[in-house]
C-alpha cells in the first residue's frame, strides 16, 4: 500500500518550488551612494520588507512631476532676457553717466508710448 500511495503522489505532484503566478524576469540596476543605500535599507527594515520589495512598492506609488512645465520655462526665459537687458542698461549707464542715460531712456519710453497709442487708435 505504501508503494501505491507514493506512486499516486509522484504522478500528481512533481515537488520542488511552486510556480509563481507573476514571473519577474526584468531587472534594473541602480547605483547608490553609501548614504542613499543606508537610508533605503533603514526604510525597508522599518516597513518589514526586503529592499527589492520596498523599491518596487516605492516605484509603484511614487508621483513624479516635471521640474517645470513648458509655460514656466517660457516665463523663465523671458525673465532671463529681461535680466540680461537690465544688466546691459546698467553697464551703459555707468559708461555714459546716469543723467544722459536717463534722458535717452525717457525719449525711448515716449517713442514706445506713441507707437502703442497709434496701434490702439487703428
Amino acid at each position: 500500500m505504501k508503494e501505491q500511495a507514493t506512486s499516486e503522489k509522484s504522478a500528481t505532484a512533481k515537488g520542488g518550488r511552486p510556480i509563481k503566478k507573476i514571473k519577474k524576469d526584468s531587472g534594473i540596476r541602480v547605483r547608490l551612494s553609501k548614504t542613499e543605500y543606508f537610508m533605503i535599507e533603514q526604510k525597508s527594515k522599518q516597513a518589514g520588507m526586503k529592499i527589492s520589495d520596498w523599491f518596487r512598492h516605492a516605484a509603484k506609488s511614487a508621483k513624479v512631476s516635471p521640474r517645470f512645465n513648458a509655460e514656466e520655462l517660457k516665463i523663465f526665459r523671458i525673465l532671463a532676457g529681461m535680466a540680461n537687458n537690465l544688466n546691459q542698461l546698467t553697464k551703459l549707464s555707468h559708461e555714459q553717466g546716469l543723467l544722459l542715460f536717463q534722458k535717452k531712456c525717457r525719449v525711448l519710453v515716449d517713442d514706445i508710448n506713441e507707437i502703442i497709442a497709434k496701434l490702439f487708435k487703428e
Side-chain angles (χ1 to χ4, degrees):
M1 268 198 92
K2 195 174 185 182
E3 291 177 15
Q4 190 179 19
T6 354
S7 64
E8 287 177 11
K9 196 176 188 181
S10 63
T12 57
K14 293 181 181 179
R17 185 176 179 171
I19 298 173
K20 291 186 176 184
K21 293 179 183 176
I22 300 173
K23 186 177 179 183
K24 294 181 176 92
D25 56 355
S26 298
I28 297 174
R29 182 174 166 96
V30 179
R31 300 189 60 72
L32 304 168
S33 68
K34 289 181 181 181
T35 307
E36 292 169 333
Y37 183 82
F38 179 75
M39 290 172 57
I40 291 170
E41 184 180 38
Q42 292 303 312
K43 288 181 179 185
S44 68
K45 283 181 182 177
Q46 288 173 355
M49 305 169 87
K50 293 181 192 175
I51 292 176
S52 57
D53 293 334
W54 184 88
F55 243 106
R56 260 186 235 103
H57 179 72
K60 289 176 189 174
S61 62
K63 181 182 177 188
V64 178
S65 58
R67 292 183 182 176
F68 303 110
N69 62 29
E71 185 178 331
E72 290 170 335
L73 288 174
K74 182 179 177 183
I75 291 169
F76 287 136
R77 282 189 204 104
I78 291 169
L79 286 173
M82 293 171 81
N84 189 27
N85 291 343
L86 181 61
N87 285 337
Q88 290 174 357
L89 290 172
T90 304
K91 181 181 176 186
L92 192 61
S93 70
H94 288 293
E95 290 173 358
Q96 294 182 353
L98 196 55
L99 292 175
L100 180 63
F101 182 73
Q102 181 183 10
K103 288 178 186 176
K104 288 183 179 182
C105 284
R106 285 191 183 178
V107 170
L108 184 59
V109 168
D110 290 340
D111 291 344
I112 292 171
N113 286 334
E114 285 178 24
I115 293 170
I116 292 173
K118 286 179 185 177
L119 286 173
F120 284 112
K121 286 181 182 178
E122 294 176 354

